[in-house]
Every structure is written in structure tokens, then in C-alpha cells.
Amino acid sequence: MEDSQPKPEPSAERKAVGYKSWKKKYRKMRIVFDEKMATGEELHRKEAKTAQTVKRLAVENEYVTDLMTSNGQQLTRHALLADFSTSFSRSTIPNRSPLTSA
């Protein structure tokens, strides 16, 4: 007699759980996906900017090292900074303000 009770249909069980609208479900998934993509793109931009900064600093460090060791002369900090500031004019170093975006 227990077997005579009707079992609920699988489709009725599915409708009771989860989203009723597939449009709503996929719209929500799309929003999450777009947020993750934007985060990834922002990280990529930061990585590229950091790589450029590393390259620029490497060039500047090489120049300073060459100045310090050139002709076996010991340069004072003041003379080194004066020479460095005249060698790198504003036209060769990009103006990077922390308030401007790249």
C-alpha cells in the first residue's frame, strides 16, 4: 500500500529549488563574470605599469652607478645629484603624477 502513493515528478522538485528564471540566473552570472574580468584587467594594467617603472629605475641606477665609478673618481652626493639632474631633462623622463591615470 505504501507503493501506491504518487511520487513527485523530478521537474516539480527542480522548480522548487534555485532560480525560477534562467534569464535572472545568467544575468547574475554575467555580472559576476564582468566584475572578475574588470579586476583582472586592472591587475594587468598595474603589472604593465610596474614593469615600466622597474625598467626605468634599472636604467637610472645603471647611469648613477656609471657616474660613481667613472674615471675612478669619488663623487660627492651633491655633485652626483647635480650631474644626474642635468643629464635627465624633463623631456626624457615621463611626467607621472600619482593623480593621473595611465
Side-chain angles (χ1 to χ4, degrees), residues 7-17:
K7 292 184 179 179
E9 295 180 12
S11 62
E13 288 178 8
R14 253 189 252 147
K15 286 184 180 180
V17 179

Side-chain angles (χ1 to χ4, degrees), residues 25-90:
K25 175 183 178 179
Y26 288 104
R27 187 178 332 125
K28 186 175 179 180
M29 288 174 62
R30 178 61 186 231
I31 290 169
V32 171
F33 174 78
D34 289 342
E35 289 172 354
K36 298 291 183 182
M37 286 298 293
T39 303
E41 290 171 358
E42 180 64 26
L43 289 173
H44 181 69
R45 279 192 293 274
K46 285 181 181 180
E47 182 183 11
K49 185 177 178 182
T50 304
Q52 289 175 344
T53 303
V54 166
K55 287 178 184 178
R56 181 181 54 84
L57 288 174
V59 168
E60 290 176 7
N61 284 342
E62 183 67 27
Y63 178 74
V64 170
T65 303
D66 287 345
L67 279 177
M68 291 173 59
T69 59
S70 65
N71 298 326
Q73 297 174 353
Q74 288 293 98
L75 299 175
T76 64
R77 184 171 186 261
H78 179 69
L80 181 63
L81 291 176
D83 189 34
F84 182 74
S85 64
T86 57
S87 297
F88 280 102
S89 67
R90 288 202 173 268

